[in-house]
Amino acid sequence: MTQTAPATAQDLDLESPEAASVNTRERILDAALDLFTEQGFDGTSLRQIAEQLGVTKAALYYHFTSKDDILLALHMRLHEAGRDALVQMGDEPVTLEQWGTLLDQVVDQMLAQRKLFLMHERNQAALEKLHRKDHDAEHEDIQNQFRRVLADERVPLRDRVKMAASVGIVFSGLLLSGEAFADSSNEELGTMLRDIIRDVLRG
Amino acid sequence: MTQTAPATAQDLDLESPEAASVNTRERILDAALDLFTEQGFDGTSLRQIAEQLGVTKAALYYHFTSKDDILLALHMRLHEAGRDALVQMGDEPVTLEQWGTLLDQVVDQMLAQRKLFLMHERNQAALEKLHRKDHDAEHEDIQNQFRRVLADERVPLRDRVKMAASVGIVFSGLLLSGEAFADSSNEELGTMLRDIIRDVLRG
DNA sequence: GTCTATATTTCGATAGAC
DNA sequence: GTCTATCGAAATATAGAC
């Protein structure tokens, strides 16, 4: 799996004076991402994260104020990754063409950051609880933005169902790139998924 | 939301002599299903389930041996619902036609038992941990059965991607029937989803 | 920045009366 | 079948030394 996004530990091998702590912070996030994806947020203890890094529980609290803070930082990773793909979806109704263009980018992001997407899909309950506390400034979450577009009654029902189905196809890629399709490359899968999505939106 | 499956509390209003406990057992499962779906399995305490029913924590232990046992019972609900839809998927490779016929039934089941499907999607970590303990007799889980078919290398890669994408379309219905499409009926949504799936599998 | 040690809370589970 | 009362474990989080 190739990483295209910045801000992961692998990109920061050479360290500037203060990069040691930055590196540690990212290493904590990488370990947490693994564990949260496999065992769930609530099913993972800070002790496990610390053990995987070879430090103690208390060390984590130097880099993060709470366990929720770690989850929030991972949520921000996805939010930043989606910033590019998220065009200005203003108040005008979205067309099927615009939706297709958007999802083409989301497919790429998803294949490049598979674990991050998977973590979000498998910890929706914990993320929602987090969002209830951090209701500062109406974060305008990606997921909410998607929901808002799909709920727009100015778009014909049939088109909205097509748009939702296309989203489902994107996330089927999470299932795909897991184990059943380990032999095929991301580019191959991405091309096929985009083809199917295009047919659905135009058909 | 219309319930088509048996074994929910609503179906058992008139009680036979021993139906009181049966009814309570199902009422516990209904409450747990709501809470596990909204807050997650690990994010829900037995105290919350008991409170919603107007009983105490200890009462739950008369009907279930553990918290995991409650989750397992809910998992069985889905397994029974899927028994009908699950044709004999033996060792022969599955054709696109067979897959379409199977998913037509799954769409119906999903729309009729939306919360049960949603709970499974949102608690995969807890369910996997449960399955690791209960590895008795290789339960042949529905999810594993799906994965096995999609991993069958005798089926062309392109067809397998189509089959996986179709599964994604089915589960997009979970997103759909949530709030954005509350006005449209389940039959309407089911018909549209089936149409899209058919086009994807044949296209 | 990381450690040891501990405070505090909450949860799952059990015992025994009724 | 349901209750009160409680146990023991594990978790998050903090305090303070180094």
Side-chain angles (χ1 to χ4, degrees):
Chain A
M1 178 164 50
T2 52
Q3 293 282 359
T4 65
T8 61
Q10 291 81 4
D11 305 321
L12 299 168
D13 282 334
L14 296 185
E15 357 207 313
S16 53
E18 71 283 357
S21 69
V22 173
N23 205 329
T24 299
R25 193 189 144 92
E26 297 303 321
R27 281 179 62 231
I28 293 172
L29 289 179
D30 288 340
L33 179 57
D34 283 348
L35 292 168
F36 291 171
T37 303
E38 293 166 14
Q39 309 179 342
F41 175 74
D42 289 303
T44 302
S45 67
L46 294 176
R47 198 192 104 266
Q48 282 180 297
I49 299 175
E51 260 179 13
Q52 182 152 321
L53 284 160
V55 298
T56 62
K57 231 175 16 171
L60 305 181
Y61 280 93
Y62 177 81
H63 299 276
F64 298 93
T65 68
S66 67
K67 189 186 179 185
D68 281 359
D69 194 31
I70 298 179
L71 183 61
L72 183 63
L74 288 174
H75 179 63
M76 286 307 157
R77 276 192 179 179
L78 186 72
H79 200 266
E80 288 164 15
R83 182 186 301 277
D84 308 331
L86 273 198
V87 289
Q88 310 289 29
M89 292 200 291
D91 288 340
E92 289 93 54
V94 176
T95 68
L96 291 179
E97 280 86 358
Q98 289 172 323
W99 196 252
T101 305
L102 176 62
L103 288 196
D104 277 355
Q105 298 175 265
V106 177
V107 167
D108 282 340
Q109 290 281 1
M110 192 263 289
L111 290 173
Q113 308 245 52
R114 179 178 168 275
K115 221 179 296 182
L116 194 56
F117 276 73
L118 200 55
M119 193 277 280
H120 273 77
E121 203 210 352
R122 295 183 65 162
N123 290 285
Q124 284 204 37
L127 285 161
E128 283 173 12
K129 185 179 287 183
L130 194 70
H131 243 284
R132 268 168 225 144
K133 294 184 184 176
D134 275 3
H135 63 297
D136 53 312
E138 258 305 311
H139 212 126
E140 193 53 273
D141 193 43
I142 296 178
Q143 200 161 343
N144 284 35
Q145 219 161 338
F146 267 73
R147 254 196 279 263
R148 189 162 48 85
V149 173
L150 290 179
D152 191 336
E153 298 193 356
R154 294 169 299 179
V155 179
L157 177 63
R158 187 161 201 87
D159 288 352
R160 285 152 65 199
V161 173
K162 285 181 185 174
M163 294 195 291
S166 304
V167 176
I169 295 172
V170 173
F171 283 96
S172 76
L174 288 178
L175 215 126
L176 285 171
S177 54
E179 40 183 341
F181 294 72
D183 48 332
S184 46
S185 69
N186 278 358
E187 296 89 46
E188 202 172 2
L189 287 177
T191 301
M192 286 176 153
L193 289 176
R194 275 188 292 268
D195 283 352
I196 295 176
I197 289 172
R198 180 174 32 77
D199 289 348
V200 165
L201 290 177
R202 294 187 183 167
Chain B
M1 180 166 47
T2 52
Q3 293 283 357
T4 65
T8 61
Q10 292 80 7
D11 305 321
L12 300 168
D13 281 336
L14 296 186
E15 356 206 310
S16 52
E18 72 281 359
S21 69
V22 173
N23 203 329
T24 299
R25 194 188 144 92
E26 297 302 323
R27 280 178 64 228
I28 293 172
L29 289 179
D30 288 339
L33 178 58
D34 283 347
L35 291 168
F36 291 171
T37 303
E38 293 165 14
Q39 309 179 340
F41 175 75
D42 289 302
T44 302
S45 66
L46 294 177
R47 197 192 106 265
Q48 281 179 296
I49 299 175
E51 259 178 14
Q52 182 151 323
L53 285 160
V55 296
T56 61
K57 219 175 28 170
L60 304 181
Y61 280 93
Y62 176 83
H63 299 276
F64 298 94
T65 69
S66 68
K67 189 186 180 186
D68 280 358
D69 194 31
I70 298 179
L71 183 61
L72 184 63
L74 287 173
H75 179 64
M76 286 307 156
R77 274 193 180 178
L78 185 73
H79 201 267
E80 288 164 16
R83 183 187 298 277
D84 307 332
L86 272 198
V87 288
Q88 309 290 31
M89 292 200 292
D91 288 339
E92 290 94 53
V94 176
T95 67
L96 291 180
E97 280 86 357
Q98 288 172 324
W99 196 251
T101 305
L102 176 63
L103 289 196
D104 277 355
Q105 298 175 266
V106 177
V107 168
D108 283 338
Q109 291 281 1
M110 192 263 288
L111 290 174
Q113 307 246 51
R114 178 177 168 273
K115 219 179 296 182
L116 194 56
F117 275 75
L118 199 55
M119 192 278 279
H120 273 77
E121 203 210 355
R122 296 183 64 162
N123 290 284
Q124 284 203 39
L127 284 161
E128 283 173 13
K129 186 179 285 183
L130 193 71
H131 245 284
R132 269 168 223 142
K133 296 184 184 177
D134 275 3
H135 62 298
D136 54 312
E138 261 303 314
H139 212 128
E140 193 52 274
D141 194 41
I142 296 179
Q143 199 160 343
N144 283 36
Q145 220 161 338
F146 267 73
R147 254 196 279 263
R148 188 161 50 84
V149 173
L150 290 178
D152 191 337
E153 298 193 355
R154 294 169 300 179
V155 178
L157 176 63
R158 187 161 199 85
D159 288 352
R160 284 153 64 201
V161 174
K162 285 182 188 175
M163 294 194 292
S166 306
V167 176
I169 296 173
V170 173
F171 283 97
S172 76
L174 288 179
L175 215 125
L176 286 173
S177 55
E179 39 183 342
F181 293 74
D183 47 332
S184 47
S185 68
N186 277 358
E187 297 89 47
E188 203 174 1
L189 287 176
T191 302
M192 286 176 153
L193 289 175
R194 274 189 292 267
D195 283 352
I196 296 175
I197 291 172
R198 180 174 32 79
D199 289 347
V200 165
L201 291 177
R202 293 187 184 167

